Amino acid sequence: MIDFFNFFPIIKNMNILRKNILIPLVLFFYASGTIFASTSVKNINVIKNGNPADTMELFLIDGMGYVLTSDIAGIYKAKTNWYPASKKVILTVNGKEVVFRINSNRVIVDKIERFMKKPAKLKNGKLLIPLEFLLTRAFAEISNFYTEWDYSRLLLRVTTIPDIFPPRYYSYKDRTRVVIQAVEKKEIQLDSSKKEKILVKVYKSKIDSEKSSVAINDGVVNSIDAINLERDVMFVVNLGEYSGQYNTFTLSSPFRLVIDIERTSKTESSLPGFALGLAPSATGFIEKNVPSNILPPEKVKEDVRMPTDPQSKQGHKLKRVVIDAGHGGEDPGAIGPRGVKEKDINLLVAKSLASVLKKNGYEVFMTRSKDIFVPLADRTRFANKVMADLFVSIHCNASIAKRTSGFEIYFLSDKATDKAAEAVANMENSVIALEKHDANVKKDIEELLLSMAVNEFMNESSLICGVINQQICERVNSLKSRGVKQANFYVLRGASMPAVLVELAFLSNAKEEKLLRKSKFRKKMAESIARGIKIYEKKIAK
């Protein structure tokens, strides 16, 4: 594509314009606010809470996707105010303001200054902002919507972030206790007029109903159904044969409704041996492992791990880390001379790294915790959905030259550091052949995806690469550093946070394959990476 500045030499080569009219032309475009770039327009479909919504226009400007604020206002129920004199647009969502300025990368989100990779633009009197802004955690937090961009289908998915957790229950010898947790204090109504049911309505709420219905079958409660009404959430507690009276109370920090349902004395005599599996009678109630975050949607639920001690996270500017064990399932990755598979080593190191980070108070998520195949795009999509602060992808290297050795740390760039780095990226990207893709995916959409991924986090990604590289050098004497490099890794594309890829060692090198088989070496690598993350956090907190 032709950018603004490279366009002028082409004009001169064509002998269309002379030097004396070139400068006035530049001033005209600058003053008018007109977009002077390679631009095309596509229609994209919007799915909101599972239902088709209106289509909207996507403006592709030099490979970057832009959308109109008027379309954003319609989808997210926001209001826009345009101030021509100051070239400022204020987008108000849920009573919170987002302030954009024409031709500026700077954006104020709920009074906090942030920066976009590309500036807001003016087209025919309307403001265009980068599509990537809608995918950020900052926008999700004020809009209360998860936003996903499916580049292959030109599809924008918008889903309300739940504010009610899936119900929990505890079966005791004398009662069954049901706990309903909300993000904030809620107005609640209980109704027990229907036979063998307790209805609990939580006003002005939203829940992921598909994952919030619970089968209990402990004699007191058969099941709990969760239903989203138009604006509220309804829980239906289906009582069992041995249910008696119930009472309720609430807890704070976080807000919870507790329902205690009495167990009648019939249980033990009618069901011999049943009571043996029940906990002792409840006296006080201190709930352990209370979740601090709403569980993410279905595609990312499998490998979510909640923190065992939410209080230990306090003070972390970098709280959530997603660890990606490269390859998996039918994709073995590189295979060493003695048959060691990269996918297995990656998973072992990823689990070790997760363990170390959890002990240091971080909230850790894994893209896979077992030997399964996960498409490349789903890995960073998962990281975006759980609103991670850092994405770390673990891999092993390989080379035709069997003596090639050492570790490397990568961050995303459209241009590789050198041919060797490009070769590594091509090898890791080859897994895309195992994935199913729409045959109509266009080249400009691929370029759009990469452009969105190589964003303001490049500097942060480069910084953490350097810190991790230094820590491995200091702590792992048996391995040499091949340096910090950049390349176009598909697995890092689209990450809305700093993202790095660690090539632990060369599986194709017999000596390093032997090292990778040793748990002591893998643990040292994991600890070095974790230490690098901790030092990086201190640097960005200054």
Side-chain angles (χ1 to χ4, degrees):
M1 293 186 178
I2 302 170
D3 64 24
F4 186 83
F5 295 101
N6 291 332
F7 186 69
F8 293 120
I10 294 175
I11 293 176
K12 287 190 281 186
N13 289 339
M14 294 169 62
N15 295 317
I16 296 175
L17 295 177
R18 293 181 180 273
K19 191 173 182 179
N20 59 348
I21 66 171
L22 192 59
I23 294 175
L25 182 64
V26 174
L27 294 176
F28 168 76
F29 281 111
Y30 179 79
S32 64
T34 304
I35 299 172
F36 191 78
S38 176
T39 306
S40 62
V41 182
K42 292 181 177 290
N43 287 323
I44 64 176
N45 294 312
V46 180
I47 302 294
K48 187 174 182 180
N49 288 327
N51 299 311
D54 293 336
T55 60
M56 60 187 288
E57 290 182 317
L58 176 70
F59 296 81
L60 296 175
I61 303 172
D62 283 344
M64 173 64 75
Y66 284 83
V67 290
L68 294 166
T69 52
S70 56
D71 286 334
I72 295 171
I75 293 170
Y76 297 95
K77 295 182 179 179
K79 294 181 180 179
T80 57
N81 291 294
W82 163 237
Y83 300 91
S86 58
K87 292 188 176 181
K88 180 172 69 176
V89 168
I90 298 180
L91 186 73
T92 306
V93 190
N94 293 327
K96 298 176 181 179
E97 292 185 348
V98 184
V99 182
F100 299 95
R101 291 184 184 275
I102 304 302
N103 299 324
S104 174
N105 297 57
R106 184 170 171 264
V107 56
I108 308 296
V109 184
D110 193 24
K111 300 180 182 180
I112 298 175
E113 184 180 57
R114 300 180 184 276
F115 292 88
M116 303 177 291
K117 185 198 172 188
K118 296 287 185 178
K121 295 179 179 288
L122 184 67
K123 181 177 178 65
N124 299 328
K126 296 181 180 180
L127 183 75
L128 289 167
I129 65 167
L131 172 62
E132 68 177 357
F133 176 75
L134 303 182
L135 311 180
T136 62
R137 182 196 311 183
F139 185 69
E141 288 177 345
I142 66 165
S143 68
N144 292 329
F145 284 100
Y146 289 119
T147 303
E148 295 180 275
W149 168 234
D150 187 337
Y151 68 95
S152 64
R153 299 169 60 189
L154 289 177
L155 183 68
L156 196 72
R157 291 190 182 91
V158 180
T159 309
T160 302
I161 298 176
D163 58 356
I164 302 293
F165 289 71
R168 301 186 291 278
Y169 71 93
Y170 304 88
S171 294
Y172 301 103
K173 285 186 176 182
D174 61 342
R175 75 190 73 175
T176 294
R177 174 165 280 165
V178 175
V179 180
I180 296 173
Q181 179 181 336
V183 171
E184 58 186 3
K185 188 174 181 180
K186 295 285 185 178
E187 181 182 352
I188 297 174
Q189 178 185 357
L190 284 91
D191 178 8
S192 57
S193 61
K194 292 191 176 183
K195 188 178 180 181
E196 298 179 349
K197 293 182 186 296
I198 301 174
L199 304 181
V200 183
K201 181 184 281 188
V202 186
Y203 289 93
K204 296 181 180 179
S205 299
K206 178 80 174 179
I207 195 168
D208 192 338
S209 57
E210 292 183 5
K211 292 175 288 301
S212 300
S213 294
V214 181
I216 301 176
N217 296 317
D218 66 353
V220 177
V221 178
N222 291 334
S223 63
I224 303 173
D225 296 323
I227 306 164
N228 277 310
L229 305 178
E230 185 175 352
R231 295 182 179 179
D232 313 315
V233 171
M234 177 70 78
F235 290 97
V236 180
V237 182
N238 299 298
L239 300 175
E241 185 178 354
Y242 306 106
S243 61
Q245 299 296 317
Y246 76 91
N247 60 73
T248 64
F249 59 94
T250 60
L251 298 171
S252 59
S253 300
F255 178 79
R256 285 160 286 169
L257 169 71
V258 181
I259 308 172
D260 274 346
I261 307 163
E262 179 186 13
R263 180 183 298 278
T264 65
S265 58
K266 299 176 185 178
T267 308
E268 293 185 23
S269 59
S270 302
L271 298 173
F274 178 80
L276 295 177
L278 299 175
S281 299
T283 50
F285 182 51
I286 300 176
E287 194 178 19
K288 297 181 179 180
N289 300 333
V290 178
S292 58
N293 296 283
I294 291 290
L295 291 176
E298 183 63 32
K299 287 185 179 178
V300 297
K301 180 180 176 182
E302 178 183 348
D303 294 301
V304 171
R305 298 290 182 268
M306 304 310 296
T308 55
D309 182 10
Q311 297 302 320
S312 66
K313 296 185 303 176
Q314 292 181 357
H316 280 275
K317 179 166 182 163
L318 189 159
K319 294 190 298 183
R320 296 184 191 128
V321 181
V322 166
I323 303 173
D324 170 50
H327 306 280
E330 61 263 43
D331 171 29
I335 300 177
R338 297 190 61 179
V340 176
K341 295 178 181 177
E342 179 188 355
K343 65 175 183 178
D344 298 328
I345 299 296
N346 295 344
L347 185 56
L348 288 169
V349 174
K351 286 182 175 180
S352 180
L353 175 58
S355 177
V356 176
L357 289 175
K358 284 179 182 179
K359 288 177 183 177
N360 281 273
Y362 293 93
E363 188 176 355
V364 181
F365 302 82
M366 293 182 66
T367 57
R368 68 179 183 97
S369 59
K370 54 186 177 182
D371 188 17
I372 58 172
F373 177 77
V374 181
L376 295 178
D378 286 355
R379 297 173 187 247
T380 46
R381 187 179 295 127
F382 164 70
N384 292 338
K385 191 163 287 184
V386 299
M387 298 181 181
D389 299 306
L390 177 65
F391 179 83
V392 181
S393 190
I394 304 296
H395 290 258
C396 297
N397 220 330
S399 173
I400 297 174
K402 298 187 183 299
R403 292 186 179 181
T404 305
S405 61
F407 72 93
E408 297 171 329
I409 320 285
Y410 284 89
F411 63 94
L412 181 69
S413 174
D414 56 343
K415 292 182 179 179
T417 303
D418 50 38
K419 289 185 177 180
E422 184 177 2
V424 173
N426 290 338
M427 178 182 66
E428 299 293 0
N429 294 341
S430 63
V431 66
I432 205 165
L434 297 175
E435 302 177 15
K436 295 179 180 179
H437 292 276
D438 190 333
N440 295 321
V441 174
K442 301 296 183 182
K443 182 180 179 181
D444 56 354
I445 301 300
E446 289 285 350
E447 290 175 351
L448 166 64
L449 178 67
L450 177 58
S451 184
M452 289 170 62
V454 185
N455 52 23
E456 71 269 24
F457 298 110
M458 181 180 283
N459 290 335
E460 288 92 334
S461 299
S462 174
L463 173 62
I464 192 170
C465 282
V467 176
I468 292 174
N469 181 75
Q470 182 180 357
Q471 290 306 305
I472 296 176
C473 286
E474 291 178 1
R475 299 167 67 87
V476 186
N477 298 326
S478 54
L479 214 57
K480 71 174 184 179
S481 172
R482 295 171 59 86
V484 172
K485 300 183 179 182
Q486 57 191 59
N488 181 7
F489 287 92
Y490 289 160
V491 74
L492 300 182
R493 288 184 173 194
S496 297
M497 76 288 301
V500 302
L501 186 146
V502 181
E503 294 281 1
L504 299 167
F506 279 79
L507 257 181
S508 52
N509 182 306
K511 290 183 179 179
E512 294 194 351
E513 180 191 28
K514 186 177 180 180
L515 279 175
L516 290 165
R517 292 173 59 198
K518 295 180 178 179
S519 60
K520 186 176 180 180
F521 172 79
R522 296 194 301 267
K523 185 180 179 182
K524 264 193 174 183
M525 290 296 287
E527 289 173 344
S528 300
I529 296 169
R531 185 171 175 82
I533 290 171
K534 198 169 183 178
I535 293 173
Y536 163 76
E537 182 195 0
K538 290 180 180 178
K539 286 179 177 290
I540 62 175
K542 290 180 180 179

